Amino acid sequence: MEKYKVVVIGSGPAGLAAALESFKNLDDKKVLIIERDKFLGGILNQCIHPGFGLHYFKEELTGPEYAHRFIEQVIESQIEYLTETHVIDITPEKEIVAVNKKGLKRIKADSIVLAMGCRERTRGAIITPGTRPAGIFTAGQAQRFINIEGYRIGKKAIIVGSGDIGLIMARRLTLEGIEVKAVVEIMPYSTGLRRNIVQCLDDFGIPLLLSHKLVKIHGRYRVEGVTIAKVDFKLKEIPSTERFIECDTVLFSVGLIPENELSKKAGIVLDMRTGGPVVDNTFSTSQKGIFACGNVLHVHDLVDNVTLEAQTAGRYAAMYSQYPELFENNIYINIVAKEGIKYVVPQKLNKTFVQPFVLRFRVDNFYKDAVVTISNAGKVLIKIKKSILTPGEMESIEISQKILSQLDFSNDIVVSLQNI
Amino acid sequence: MQKNKVTCILCPRGCTIEKKTQGDTFEFSGFGCKRGLEWAKEEFTNPKRILTTTVHVKSGEIEFVPVRTNVPIPKEKIFEAISILKGIEVLAPVEIGSVIVKNILDTGADVVATRRVGKKDSSDD
Ligand SMILES: Cc1cc2nc3c(=O)[nH]c(=O)nc-3n(C[C@H](O)[C@H](O)[C@H](O)COP(=O)(O)OP(=O)(O)OC[C@H]3O[C@@H](n4cnc5c(N)ncnc54)[C@H](O)[C@@H]3O)c2cc1C
Ligand code: SF4
């Protein structure tokens, strides 16, 4: 069986950054990246629009350009990688089973970094009645068909969901000569960035129908249209507000879920709220020596944050593979999300590694003029005023050495939000 | 289309900035800061966008190469630029950054490749 110090599963921005950082921190530079697709780069290869790297590179790059910078470094460092190779199993003992054209492959790793990204929720996830004709796609699938394979996927489309991916696809379809009749959003607000609403919808006069729901899909062989309706504040359909819209294509952009089939097989404890593994500030999962970062851990809106997080995960994965004894008998304190906070990552602070880290979280609703506090043993350690907080934007707070030195380690760290 | 209201995209506050015409002069209101005002002035008079799309590649390991304008181009030229790019085919290999169309529609912007595309490997399948 082949042996590696660190094996990274997935080669999106998370996998690439984790591999590079592991490599830098290892004496015996045995690092391997395994990717099921034909190319390195992950989802970024199909995200040809600008909007990547503003924080990390202070420049606005497209997805492939952002990925390229890391792929170059991987190639220059001669980090080993396998493409068109699908990992089908990992064990708590850190044995990896992968399959490719040559057959089955078993690999032993001292530590593993999970960086498999996420998958899209589908029509089924929001239970949409109607027939099952051709012409129904998830937004990311349509993006791949158009941007990579070059297919024309339809003529007149409806997009369900107004997060960034839905908005970006509205513009992309329009540029491809496909008429986007409307973007339908069940919530009274869009979770997409404002600049995407302006530049993807307003620029082309595409209507955004807030508080509207897709009620039914019509069509026998190909989509012939959809029925939509207004919803009340309980998100329930308001009778007699139904409206038929003729179209031949429906795109669903209704959320992403971390890809955690492998994590489950390895017996890793998952967090119900993020959908990804529970990790500590070293990005270690509940299985010693298995780390997680990027969208497999929690769904990110900005790739820059994925890169930063993955670098930390990669550094600790390298440390684990060389000095596993440091990770023995670890004791943690919990980091808990309370009022107004939907989730926090990491969920635990490892007492062996009390080093500054970034706490990332999302709020559970729209808030204006609110205060986010971080407290411990009844004492407020950090208080940050925010004029606007939205569930669509991930927030970050630095936990500095100074804050860490004030911690009472027999108590939880609590993150919560108060209106002012 | 002449608009007199824009939403500022520079920061999460998202101010709605309004333009009022008084004779020959304009008055702006609703902006939360100076940076936003400058942005809005440009947006009212000459809105520009970066254009990204794909272009056909011949004999490449993939069939389409993603491209972008290296600087923003006037918004009203976007569709014209797209139709030019639709009619183009480049030959692999393509380097990231190689110029696909120079000074497209006299906008001063070059259309460049945003991904490297190697030659098709015949031993591929
Ligand atoms: C449509 C869309 C638009 C976006 N727009 C923006 C934007 O404008 N700006 C921005 O900053 N961010 C944007 N993002 C977010 C950003 O792209 C992601 O946060 C980031 O790419 C996540 O990186 P990742 O490495 O975790 O996952 P991915 O990039 O998804 O990579 C995961 C990789 O793992 C591989 N993999 C999965 N399972 C296995 C397995 N079992 N074996 C082998 N390989 C496997 C996959 O093939 C994939 O290559 C967008 C995301 C999407 C989906
Ligand atoms: S005008 Fe200033 S404060 Fe208002 S959204 Fe623009 S940048 Fe933000």
Side-chain angles (χ1 to χ4, degrees), chain A residues 11-18 41-45 47 49-70 117 164 168 193 195 256 293-295 298-311 360 362 392 394 396:
Chain A
S11 74
L16 294 171
I43 200 82
L44 294 179
N45 284 326
C47 297
H49 58 276
F52 298 83
L54 264 175
H55 301 273
Y56 192 78
F57 290 114
K58 311 274 175 259
E59 258 184 269
E60 193 166 2
L61 304 172
T62 64
E65 288 171 321
Y66 188 93
H68 182 80
R69 300 201 172 184
F70 294 92
D164 288 314
I168 282 164
L193 295 173
R195 82 172 197 162
L256 304 166
C293 55
N295 277 357
H298 59 137
V299 175
H300 295 65
D301 29 27
L302 290 180
V303 72
D304 311 68
N305 293 327
V306 169
T307 300
L308 294 171
E309 186 181 284
Q311 287 170 336
R360 303 193 193 280
R362 280 183 199 273
M394 196 167 79
S396 309

Side-chain angles (χ1 to χ4, degrees), chain A residues 9-16 34-37 39-44 46-47 49-53 85-88 115-118 120 139-140 143 164-165 168-169 193 195-196 256 259 262 293-297 299-304 306:
Chain A
I9 305 174
S11 74
L16 294 171
I34 307 179
E35 168 60 53
R36 65 179 170 197
D37 210 335
F39 299 96
L40 301 179
I43 200 82
L44 294 179
Q46 67 183 60
C47 297
H49 58 276
F52 298 83
T85 305
H86 199 139
V87 175
I88 53 172
M116 292 93 71
C118 57
E120 296 183 280
Q143 187 179 50
D164 288 314
I165 303 174
I168 282 164
M169 284 314 289
L193 295 173
R195 82 172 197 162
N196 283 335
L256 304 166
E259 171 71 66
L262 290 177
C293 55
N295 277 357
V296 81
L297 183 58
V299 175
H300 295 65
D301 29 27
L302 290 180
V303 72
D304 311 68
V306 169

Side-chain angles (χ1 to χ4, degrees), chain A residues 131-177:
Chain A
T131 50
R132 304 193 55 179
I136 304 171
F137 306 89
T138 58
Q141 187 185 17
Q143 187 179 50
R144 190 182 172 103
F145 284 154
I146 295 172
N147 293 348
I148 297 194
E149 330 260 349
Y151 292 114
R152 169 110 189 225
I153 63 160
K155 293 197 181 92
K156 292 175 193 166
I158 283 282
I159 297 175
V160 184
S162 68
D164 288 314
I165 303 174
L167 299 175
I168 282 164
M169 284 314 289
R171 172 175 63 193
R172 188 67 191 122
L173 294 183
T174 310
L175 292 179
E176 280 297 306

Side-chain angles (χ1 to χ4, degrees), chain A residues 186-188 211 213 230-238:
Chain A
I186 192 166
M187 302 305 282
S211 295
K213 170 181 174 180
K230 280 191 190 161
V231 297
D232 60 19
F233 68 98
K234 283 184 185 152
L235 307 184
K236 272 195 69 176
E237 206 181 311
I238 304 172

Side-chain angles (χ1 to χ4, degrees), chain A residues 355-371:
Chain A
Q355 277 159 16
F357 66 99
V358 178
L359 194 69
R360 303 193 193 280
F361 62 92
R362 280 183 199 273
V363 295
D364 62 3
N365 210 329
F366 255 88
Y367 294 96
K368 252 195 163 163
D369 298 319
V371 185

Side-chain angles (χ1 to χ4, degrees), chain B residues 8-15 17 30-37:
Chain B
C8 180
I9 58 167
L10 299 184
C11 91
R13 270 179 69 178
C15 302
I17 305 175
F31 53 90
C33 71
K34 239 182 141 172
R35 209 161 66 95
L37 173 64

